[in-house]
Amino acid sequence: MNTHVHRHDHDHAHAHDPAAVSGGRGRKLLLAFVLTTVMMVVEVVGGAWSGSLALLADAGHMVVDALALLLAIVGAWMATRPADARRSYGYGRMEVLAGFVNALGQFVLVGWIFYEAVVRLLHPGEILSGIMLAVAIVGLLVNALVLRTLHGHAHDDVNLAGASLHVLGDLLGSLAAVLAALAIRWFGWLWADPVLSLLISLLILGSAWRLLRMSAHILLEGVPDGMDSALVEASLREADPGICDIHHLHVWQLASGSRMATVHAELEEHADGAQALRAIKQVLLERFGIQHVTVQVDPGRCLDASGDCAGHGRP
């Protein structure tokens, strides 16, 4: 009678202290929230006074942004909370949820800008270009400062990516307001205000769609971008001579920069299980940056091989 022994190993190594990282990002988000809120009030007053849709649209964008940044701050704070009995992985995925909600908010905002722009094109009104230009320039400078503050980690952090997306929309909106104010002041083109607002809304729409896809992919436990699961499986098969089969491979991302994997490794009859286990973990960490690994080592045919386990990453 054959006896099958299953060994499970978990690697929880992390290159950085998540609490320290999230704390630093939380401070950046808080600064961005304060600056955005102040500038939002300035643009509301300036837009209402000058009659500029571009300023009002950017102010409306900042209302959403202020809420989005506040949500991102909460997400960064929640990410520092440790795991508990109900949430064994902790709260790191809160940042992904924040990014997902931020993207949805952008779609609502674009719809409002589009509607207002059409109304302004059909029924143009007087615009005080001097006030509009002054407020737009201040907004451009403030948004550039906020974007610079957030941009450092936005490429690998969905939470900061969502916040940066909103601020980038603000920056583009302020730039559009500056151009519209100049066109109105120099040429009397009242239509420049709603037209540039429409163009900016299309740019925001594209960025929002990319963020929505990225955050939804993580929430659906998709393979991290740039990673080929077939290549991971092939690399593990060659990790150690004692490995005769790799199956039940799953690779996903809990949150930004937090790659995880589970895998079954079937070994030759007299293979060294501990050595094979170390080789698998080393390959996953060094070649693919996967820090949290769960490995089931089967010294023989997999106990789950009833037709469902064998294959390339089947559940």
Side-chain angles (χ1 to χ4, degrees):
M1 179 177 181
N2 295 330
T3 302
H4 299 272
V5 180
H6 294 263
R7 295 182 56 185
H8 297 266
D9 185 87
H10 300 267
D11 183 4
H12 297 274
H14 295 277
H16 303 284
D17 180 5
V21 173
S22 295
R25 295 176 185 179
R27 286 189 291 272
K28 291 182 178 182
L29 290 168
L30 181 59
L31 175 61
F33 171 73
V34 172
L35 292 175
T36 299
T37 301
V38 171
M39 196 60 226
M40 174 193 69
V41 174
V42 173
E43 287 201 339
V44 167
V45 175
W49 189 2
S50 66
S52 167
L53 175 62
L55 284 182
L56 289 175
D58 202 33
H61 190 252
M62 283 188 166
V63 172
V64 178
D65 289 353
L67 295 175
L69 288 167
L70 183 60
L71 181 60
I73 291 170
V74 174
W77 173 72
M78 290 291 289
T80 64
R81 297 184 61 184
D84 56 35
R86 296 190 62 189
R87 296 171 182 84
S88 59
Y89 282 123
Y91 296 80
R93 185 153 285 182
M94 282 298 297
E95 70 174 46
V96 184
L97 290 172
F100 186 80
V101 173
N102 286 350
L104 292 178
Q106 290 288 340
F107 283 97
V108 176
L109 174 66
V110 167
W112 177 80
I113 294 175
F114 187 85
Y115 171 79
E116 286 294 326
V118 171
V119 171
R120 292 294 182 94
L121 284 172
L122 295 176
H123 306 285
E126 182 182 1
I127 297 176
L128 303 178
S129 60
I131 297 174
M132 177 183 175
L133 180 61
V135 174
I137 290 175
V138 173
L140 185 65
L141 296 175
V142 171
N143 287 319
L145 174 61
V146 174
L147 187 62
R148 180 179 176 84
T149 301
L150 296 178
H151 188 64
H153 297 279
H155 65 284
D156 64 349
D157 188 317
V158 175
N159 202 23
L160 282 181
S164 297
L165 168 62
H166 284 269
V167 177
L168 178 60
D170 289 337
L171 182 66
L172 294 174
S174 296
L175 179 60
V178 170
L179 295 176
L182 292 174
I184 294 169
R185 190 173 185 83
W186 291 346
F187 306 107
W189 294 347
L190 295 178
W191 53 264
D193 186 51
V195 167
L196 285 174
S197 298
L198 282 174
L199 293 177
I200 294 304
S201 69
L202 293 178
L203 293 176
I204 296 172
L205 188 63
S207 298
W209 173 245
R210 287 191 293 272
L211 177 62
L212 186 67
R213 288 182 58 187
M214 179 173 63
S215 56
H217 184 70
I218 295 177
L219 292 174
L220 291 173
E221 310 287 1
V223 176
D225 289 339
M227 180 177 292
D228 184 349
S229 57
L231 177 60
V232 176
E233 183 174 327
S235 299
L236 292 180
R237 290 178 188 276
E238 300 174 355
D240 186 84
I243 298 175
C244 63
D245 188 30
I246 290 291
H247 49 267
H248 232 335
L249 173 65
H250 298 274
V251 182
W252 73 99
Q253 197 168 2
L254 180 66
S256 302
S258 178
R259 294 177 174 181
M260 314 183 78
T262 60
V263 62
H264 284 202
E266 189 172 321
L267 304 185
E268 301 288 353
E269 184 176 355
H270 300 294
D272 186 335
Q275 178 179 321
L277 183 62
R278 287 193 297 269
I280 289 173
K281 292 165 60 177
Q282 183 177 4
V283 168
L284 290 176
L285 178 61
E286 294 181 357
R287 291 194 57 183
F288 302 101
I290 301 174
Q291 299 172 330
H292 184 125
V293 183
T294 302
V295 183
Q296 177 171 304
V297 177
D298 300 326
R301 182 174 174 80
C302 178
L303 286 179
D304 297 331
S306 58
D308 293 331
C309 184
H312 300 280
R314 294 183 187 177

